[in-house]
Amino acid sequence: MAQKPNIPKGTRDFGQVEMARRNYIFNTIRSVFALYGFQQIETPAMENISTLMGKYGEEGDKLLFRIQNSGEKASLAPEKGLRYDLTVPFARYVVQHREEISFPFKRFQIQPVWRADRPQKGRYREFYQCDVDVIGSDSLIGELELIQIVEEVYRRLGIRVCLHINNRKILAGIAEVICAPDKIIDITVAIDKLDKIGVEAVNAELKERGLSEEAVQALQPILNQESGIKNQDKLASLKEFLSSSAIGQKGVAEMEEVFALIEAAGVQLNIELDLCLARGLNYYTGAIFEVKALDAQIGSITGGGRYDNLTGIFGLPNVSGVGISFGADRIYDVLTELDLFPHTLQSSTQLLFATFGQDELRYALRWAKELRAKGCAVEVYPEPTKMKKQMAYADQKQIPFVAIIGGDEMAQQKAMLKNMASGEQKLVEFSELVKSLNC
């Protein structure tokens, strides 16, 4: 009995249409990264398990894919794991290659990551991230450039978004003010779920994590923010709320400076100071970001933040960095849902040669070679079968032009060029064919 073909849950195959669309996303993002001087690197799919463990919080550690050792060490505990994100491997890379790079180091990566999560809409076990980071500088210009990159990427993709921003120092200050400074991780992990589970469930989880009833009640003004309040008004209220917390005041000052830079740079992006934004990862220490599509219900499609000592765990302390990650798979789903992919992506082939016989086929091969030398993407249908079948092939691949070669065309050293959209046909010489294709 033949085996039924299938793939693991939470993974996907990508056919030619999907790959054309994914490359459109990658190329768009890559081109914007380059505008700001970021350069590409890659790291291995697997890392030592010690590199990954303890970097993503309690929840993240549970979602690591561990790789079972083989050979002589098959019975031992796994020593390696598939990367959970691109930021921790990047920190490892910076320390390992610190003699080869210049600081501030501006890099981007476009690679897959893996998480042992429960598959659902918009959530996969294997997915691509497009990360951009600058490390080796604590200047808030880093935050500004990431915001500008978000603005330009989504402008080019045609997706209306809102960037939510907060600061982990503000969250630490809130924990101090409600007399629970030792519960900052519990607070951030819980309120990071606010959009998914609601206020009541977050309150219940906070109590389960050891916060007193008084502390939970003190958090309610933060958890129940009114919509429509201006960012500057929120900052003014925070200054008063956090008057007794030095770290909280520092977080407010950083946010004031970020908003001042945003105004100076003329950023038009929709930006909201979101005091419930927490980003559950433990390594964030300053500004944190999430981007959500305004016209699709899919959760965040971009996220990141400032980290001040991520390289310290690898022996290079006090190196500050800030980065953001574009979730390519969620962006793909949004573009699909909103029908925003350019329809010209379906085929990269500009022209198909369709022929009536073997002599005409050989004639077409010479023209195809010359066209490819000029940069035209050209196919020759591999057999001179019925013209209807050859035309159906061009239709299926959405090839815009077909050059029909019969005995008369070959005798005149010409081709019958058909525009597949309009149906118009005309007899052309080689030079006219090149001009029609804009090679």
Side-chain angles (χ1 to χ4, degrees):
M1 184 176 179
Q3 178 179 337
K4 182 180 179 181
N6 53 46
I7 57 176
K9 290 183 179 179
T11 65
R12 294 177 291 174
D13 286 325
F14 299 103
Q16 61 271 30
V17 172
E18 290 84 1
M19 284 308 304
R21 292 177 172 182
R22 287 165 66 82
N23 284 331
Y24 166 71
I25 295 170
F26 296 145
N27 292 337
T28 300
I29 292 172
R30 185 183 289 111
S31 65
V32 176
F33 289 168
L35 289 178
Y36 290 82
F38 291 86
Q39 297 177 303
Q40 189 168 12
I41 68 167
E42 289 193 352
T43 58
M46 70 180 77
E47 294 277 350
N48 292 323
I49 197 69
S50 58
T51 298
L52 303 174
M53 287 293 293
K55 313 304 189 300
Y56 306 106
E58 176 187 340
E59 299 286 330
D61 282 351
K62 295 177 182 177
L63 301 181
L64 289 174
F65 271 111
R66 293 161 173 80
I67 299 175
Q68 181 65 49
N69 294 302
S70 58
E72 295 179 359
K73 296 183 178 181
S75 62
L76 300 181
E79 297 174 354
K80 294 174 284 294
L82 295 178
R83 59 172 173 252
Y84 179 93
D85 73 351
L86 298 178
T87 305
V88 169
F90 170 56
R92 188 267 309 153
Y93 177 95
V94 168
V95 177
Q96 191 170 341
H97 298 272
R98 59 186 180 274
E99 302 301 328
E100 307 162 25
I101 60 180
S102 299
F103 294 101
F105 180 44
K106 303 175 77 171
R107 85 81 172 87
F108 73 88
Q109 281 178 260
I110 299 177
Q111 291 186 272
V113 299
W114 295 267
R115 297 182 185 177
D117 212 342
R118 183 171 62 87
Q120 53 187 292
K121 181 182 179 182
R123 187 179 296 273
Y124 305 99
R125 287 176 171 168
E126 178 186 62
F127 56 96
Y128 267 75
Q129 288 185 337
C130 307
D131 274 26
V132 58
D133 289 71
V134 55
I135 195 166
S137 171
D138 57 7
S139 170
L140 296 178
I141 291 294
E143 278 80 348
L144 171 65
E145 287 195 347
L146 295 183
I147 291 168
Q148 289 175 304
I149 286 171
V150 167
E151 180 179 41
E152 182 61 16
V153 165
Y154 288 112
R155 184 193 69 79
R156 294 188 181 192
L157 293 175
I159 300 174
R160 295 195 317 120
V161 299
C162 178
L163 184 144
H164 295 251
I165 188 170
N166 198 7
N167 192 299
R168 289 294 283 261
K169 294 183 180 70
I170 289 175
L171 292 170
I174 291 171
E176 283 187 352
V177 168
I178 67 172
C179 301
D182 58 326
K183 295 292 185 181
I184 178 61
I185 292 177
D186 296 290
I187 292 171
T188 55
V189 168
I191 70 173
D192 199 48
K193 302 174 183 176
L194 184 64
D195 284 348
K196 301 173 186 174
I197 64 177
V199 174
E200 294 304 318
V202 168
N203 288 338
E205 181 168 335
L206 288 168
K207 293 174 184 176
E208 290 174 5
R209 289 178 173 272
L211 269 75
S212 67
E213 178 66 31
E214 293 77 11
V216 172
Q217 288 305 312
L219 271 176
Q220 295 314 296
I222 304 299
L223 298 179
N224 292 280
Q225 299 175 69
E226 292 183 20
S227 61
I229 301 176
K230 293 181 179 180
N231 294 324
Q232 297 303 326
D233 292 337
K234 289 181 183 179
L235 287 171
S237 298
L238 272 175
K239 265 188 174 180
E240 184 177 348
F241 184 82
L242 298 173
S243 59
S244 62
S245 170
I247 190 170
Q249 290 288 337
K250 186 175 182 182
V252 171
E254 288 181 3
M255 283 295 93
E256 288 177 329
E257 176 63 15
V258 168
F259 280 110
L261 291 171
I262 287 169
E263 183 177 358
V267 173
Q268 300 298 310
L269 184 67
N270 185 0
I271 301 173
E272 179 184 341
L273 177 59
D274 184 352
L275 302 183
C276 288
L277 176 61
R279 301 288 296 167
L281 301 182
N282 289 345
Y283 53 67
Y284 291 126
T285 56
I288 45 180
F289 315 92
E290 277 193 359
V291 177
K292 296 182 180 180
L294 294 175
D295 301 315
Q297 298 296 319
I298 200 169
S300 66
I301 55 178
T302 297
R306 166 75 61 174
Y307 43 88
D308 284 333
N309 194 33
L310 189 55
T311 58
I313 55 181
F314 300 113
L316 186 63
N318 304 318
V319 179
S320 185
V322 63
I324 203 164
S325 177
F326 291 81
D329 295 271
R330 287 192 175 186
I331 292 172
Y332 184 104
D333 290 345
V334 171
L335 289 171
T336 300
E337 180 180 337
L338 302 180
D339 193 25
L340 292 175
F341 280 111
H343 297 294
T344 55
L345 292 177
Q346 301 303 321
S347 175
S348 61
T349 304
Q350 296 170 268
L351 175 76
L352 173 71
F353 280 100
T355 61
F356 283 98
Q358 288 295 333
D359 290 340
E360 291 89 339
L361 177 62
R362 294 184 179 91
Y363 172 83
L365 291 174
R366 293 195 297 272
W367 275 37
K369 180 181 179 181
E370 293 183 42
L371 286 170
R372 290 173 184 141
K374 292 181 179 296
C376 295
V378 174
E379 289 187 54
V380 179
Y381 198 82
E383 51 188 318
T385 186
K386 292 181 180 179
M387 190 56 57
K388 183 179 179 180
K389 184 176 181 180
Q390 297 182 64
M391 290 297 177
Y393 176 83
D395 269 333
Q396 185 179 25
K397 292 196 68 174
Q398 298 188 19
I399 300 173
F401 293 99
V402 174
I404 303 168
I405 307 292
D408 292 342
E409 287 81 13
M410 189 169 62
Q412 298 177 63
Q413 294 291 296
K414 293 183 179 181
M416 184 64 71
L417 181 64
K418 181 174 182 178
N419 185 315
M420 296 298 287
S422 67
E424 179 187 357
Q425 294 188 177
K426 61 179 179 178
L427 197 62
V428 299
E429 296 180 347
F430 180 79
S431 59
E432 293 178 86
L433 183 58
V434 173
K435 186 177 180 181
S436 298
L437 297 179
N438 294 318
C439 296

